[in-house]
Amino acid sequence: MAGALSPAAIDRLLADAEAAGVGIDGQGGLLQQMMKAVLERALQTEMADHLGYEAGDPAGRGSGNSRNGSYPKTLTTVAGPVTVDVPRDRRAEFEPMIVPKGRRRLAQVDDMILSLYARGMTTRDITAHLKEVYGSEVSPALVSKITDVVADEITAWQNRPVDEVYPILYIDALSVKVRDGGMVTNKSAHLVIGVDVDGIKNVLGIWLQDAEGSKFWLNVLTQLKNRGLRDALIVCCDGLTGLPEAINTVWDKALVQTCVTHLIRSSMKYVSYTDRKKVAAALKPIYTASTESEALSALDELRSDYGKNYPGLLASWERAWEEFIPFLAFDREIRRVIYTTNAIESLNYQLRKITKTRGHFPSDDAAIKLLYLGIRRIEGRHIDGDGPIPQGRVRGTGTLGWKRAMNHFMLAFPDRLPL
């Protein structure tokens, strides 16, 4: 392998191609010819292994089976369409592995299609891309079929075991349009993100629903409990109907905490652009207060200064106050990871980028498929480097300042975290 890829060998290939007037890429280019040669050589090697002797070897006489010519097969590859000669044997028993019967694409093409789909390209966009860049004819229906292969993977992912305890759970939703019963309706894709004891964030599941309520949320959280999640210390959520009641039913010791970042953003919607900087500065003493009484004083000051002009601003904070104040009881290290991590918002932002290219999805399964592929791509990145993934764990993203926060979690929630 080293000799074949040596600079001298590459220089000879390039020189031969230049002398023959052959380009590097494109139809009939050097890369396509090399792809054809490598595939055909691999097929011949497979045939020799199948028969037990090389072509022309006298050992094959009287063996009962032999080579029987070949047939052409055009494959879609990352170098463009490549026609290879697939060898046959007289007994028709040869089953090639590198180019299996019935397949017209190399595995790398399927991987590339899944990657493009996960980045928000539609099936027709991918078809056009493959045609323009690789000269390959792949129909939108085939692209959709290729992406459907993750269906079993999604089922396994949605039902996989989870950790027994999560210091933080984030629960939120993003809106998607789905065709249902002949009509396009708005549905909410609910995501649950768990931050484990190592500070690694992973999406635990996706639940698509057009209406919220205690019954729906009780079903979601019970599923998580049945998958092994017996306790959650802090559950961050924002204004989802029936969710706090369901949390307290499933995990009676869990603290329900309004997402502070969501609260700030939702309350700022009532403020005119010219006053936003001043109001943002006035809000800061509330969520950075040391005690609830200090936060109430800051809220009173906000009411005095802006309550008349922006009653909606005050109403947002007053309505969420009971779910906001648990935040004030935490040490600043815990507050920092709850506030600055803002895991759901970051994930939702990236997922919205890939869903906004769709006018609507033809089914719930299609919406979940795209969201799952997007999550799988996002969770492939890891803030703590490129070290090995622990056995049984999906790689996720880390949390800055987690070690300091975890020390305070151990003090604030004794006997509830694994040693």
Side-chain angles (χ1 to χ4, degrees), residues 127-192:
T127 296
H129 175 78
L130 294 176
K131 175 66 175 176
E132 292 170 7
V133 177
Y134 300 104
S136 301
E137 296 283 354
V138 178
S139 70
L142 180 57
V143 171
S144 182
K145 185 177 179 180
I146 291 170
T147 59
D148 283 343
V149 301
V150 299
D152 290 341
E153 185 179 326
I154 293 173
T155 300
W157 177 78
Q158 291 273 55
N159 293 284
R160 74 194 191 278
V162 296
D163 291 355
E164 288 190 1
V165 179
Y166 285 91
I168 307 174
L169 288 182
Y170 292 91
I171 304 177
D172 200 7
L174 55 88
S175 180
V176 292
K177 294 183 182 297
V178 180
R179 181 170 291 279
D180 190 357
M183 297 181 61
V184 176
T185 61
N186 286 319
K187 293 191 175 185
S188 294
H190 301 283
L191 307 178
V192 178

Side-chain angles (χ1 to χ4, degrees), residues 162-306:
V162 296
D163 291 355
E164 288 190 1
V165 179
Y166 285 91
I168 307 174
L169 288 182
Y170 292 91
I171 304 177
D172 200 7
L174 55 88
S175 180
V176 292
K177 294 183 182 297
V178 180
R179 181 170 291 279
D180 190 357
M183 297 181 61
V184 176
T185 61
N186 286 319
K187 293 191 175 185
S188 294
H190 301 283
L191 307 178
V192 178
I193 292 180
V195 185
D196 67 17
V197 293
D198 297 318
I200 303 300
K201 301 186 292 290
N202 279 119
V203 179
L204 306 185
I206 308 169
W207 290 266
L208 206 63
Q209 184 76 4
D210 52 3
E212 300 162 7
S214 296
K215 185 177 179 180
F216 167 74
W217 284 116
L218 191 60
N219 177 55
V220 169
L221 302 184
T222 300
Q223 285 183 38
L224 290 171
K225 188 173 184 178
N226 291 339
R227 287 164 56 190
L229 206 171
R230 62 174 176 79
D231 194 11
L233 306 186
I234 303 169
V235 183
C236 295
C237 55
D238 181 51
L240 298 171
T241 305
L243 180 53
E245 296 83 357
I247 292 170
N248 291 326
T249 299
V250 177
W251 302 302
D252 57 348
K253 294 182 180 179
L255 284 175
V256 180
Q257 171 66 56
T258 288
C259 178
V260 178
T261 303
H262 279 186
L263 180 55
I264 293 170
R265 290 178 180 171
S266 62
S267 65
M268 290 292 284
K269 291 189 298 186
Y270 299 98
V271 180
S272 68
Y273 180 79
T274 54
D275 286 337
R276 285 196 173 183
K277 284 187 178 181
K278 293 185 292 184
V279 172
L283 287 174
K284 190 172 182 180
I286 300 176
Y287 59 83
T288 59
S290 300
T291 63
E292 182 183 355
S293 60
E294 186 179 324
L296 280 169
S297 296
L299 183 64
D300 287 338
E301 190 171 339
L302 181 74
R303 183 181 295 106
S304 174
D305 293 341
Y306 299 103

Side-chain angles (χ1 to χ4, degrees), residues 197 410 415-419:
V197 293
M410 293 296 288
D415 303 324
R416 290 178 63 189
L417 288 168
L419 298 177

